[in-house]
Amino acid sequence: MPIKTLQIPTADGQADAFAAFPDRGGQHPGVLMYADGFGIRPVLREMAQELAGHGYYVLVPNLFYRHGPAPVIELPEYIGEEARPAVFAQLMPLIEAHTAERALNDADAYLRYLSAQPEVGAGPVAVTGYCFGGLLATRTAAAHPGEVAALAAFHGPVGADGPDSLARITADIHFGHAESDLTPAALSELNQALDAAGVRYTSEIYPGTIHGFTMSDTDAFDPAAFQRHWDRLIPLLDRTLANHR
């Protein structure tokens, strides 16, 4: 799948980004993919290309573009337990600076840019995200209910903004939670909020997983859960965006 490097105009400047899309020409449904807190790196390119291979145009912005182009911080090839403290010491200020206001302004710019690409067909889009990006994906779906038809988030703090935010979502949803991130009681509370919102959803704990289970360059990676994530994500997109191919 081809990868194109892009610059997205935003209220605060230019966000560097990349897109992966099928090489057979034509137009495809758009997917906005939010990276995890570690940001754009080879594993995100591989994941975007995998998704593009199923017939989607996948846009992946650098969440922390205000602090410089990706990679904003230098990452080891493998993010293991020993590397985490130093990495998080650099990452946390960036995450804390990425306020809800900034996230929503950026979401406006990302969706506007995505829908304007010549390879993207008319109609609704999907948003997906990992870790911190799962929260950003959820915020995007809540702020753009008429535009986002599908929302998927994996090991992300998706309930952080409370039930009122979830109530604004109209997209079909899949939330895949790490077992270490969410107790059964917290899952029940989250799912009650989704019930109250009246949306079509699945929201489940992936057994035996820890936070970050989709990322193959970290010690949290779980191959079975990673496959399960594709088994949930791709049918969700196919169901909600099939009429816009």
Side-chain angles (χ1 to χ4, degrees):
M1 298 297 113
I3 280 188
K4 183 191 295 186
T5 301
L6 303 165
Q7 294 286 329
I8 303 175
T10 75
D12 291 331
Q14 296 272 333
D16 54 303
F18 75 87
F21 49 93
D23 56 5
R24 59 178 180 266
Q27 292 186 315
H28 315 281
V31 179
L32 173 58
M33 177 186 282
Y34 287 105
D36 62 350
F38 295 132
I40 291 176
R41 58 199 193 281
V43 68
L44 263 296
R45 292 184 177 88
E46 293 168 9
M47 292 166 70
Q49 286 181 301
E50 172 70 22
L51 190 53
H54 292 271
Y56 297 97
Y57 182 102
V58 186
L59 178 66
V60 187
N62 170 20
L63 306 180
F64 305 126
Y65 69 88
R66 293 174 180 85
H67 306 274
V72 179
I73 68 167
E74 189 173 342
L75 292 170
E77 286 187 17
Y78 181 76
I79 306 167
E81 186 177 354
E82 293 178 1
R84 283 178 179 269
V87 170
F88 276 108
Q90 297 176 78
L91 274 180
M92 289 313 296
L94 307 184
I95 292 172
E96 289 166 0
H98 200 72
T99 61
E101 181 181 11
R102 282 184 168 184
L104 292 176
N105 286 340
D106 287 348
D108 291 347
Y110 299 155
L111 291 177
R112 186 166 55 245
Y113 188 89
L114 177 61
S115 63
Q117 296 314 293
E119 301 91 351
V120 176
V125 300
V127 292
T128 184
Y130 302 87
C131 177
F132 177 57
L135 174 59
L136 300 181
T138 304
R139 286 176 171 166
T140 300
H144 296 269
E147 193 171 353
V148 175
L151 161 64
F154 302 92
H155 49 83
V158 294
D161 293 339
D164 288 348
S165 176
L166 295 174
R168 295 195 292 272
I169 297 173
T170 59
D172 283 17
I173 296 172
H174 175 70
F175 289 153
H177 311 287
E179 195 172 89
S180 66
D181 283 348
L182 208 61
T183 65
L187 176 65
S188 177
E189 186 177 336
L190 173 65
N191 290 353
Q192 285 174 19
L194 295 171
D195 287 335
V199 293
R200 180 176 180 177
Y201 75 92
T202 55
S203 173
E204 60 185 353
I205 292 172
Y206 285 27
T209 54
I210 61 174
H211 183 75
F213 59 78
T214 57
M215 296 297 156
S216 62
D217 61 351
T218 77
D219 54 3
F221 182 59
D222 183 312
F226 184 55
Q227 183 58 50
R228 184 183 183 129
H229 129 277
W230 288 127
D231 292 343
R232 299 292 190 269
L233 176 59
I234 292 165
L236 170 69
L237 301 186
D238 289 348
R239 184 178 71 246
T240 54
L241 301 180
N243 293 332
H244 303 281
R245 291 191 182 280

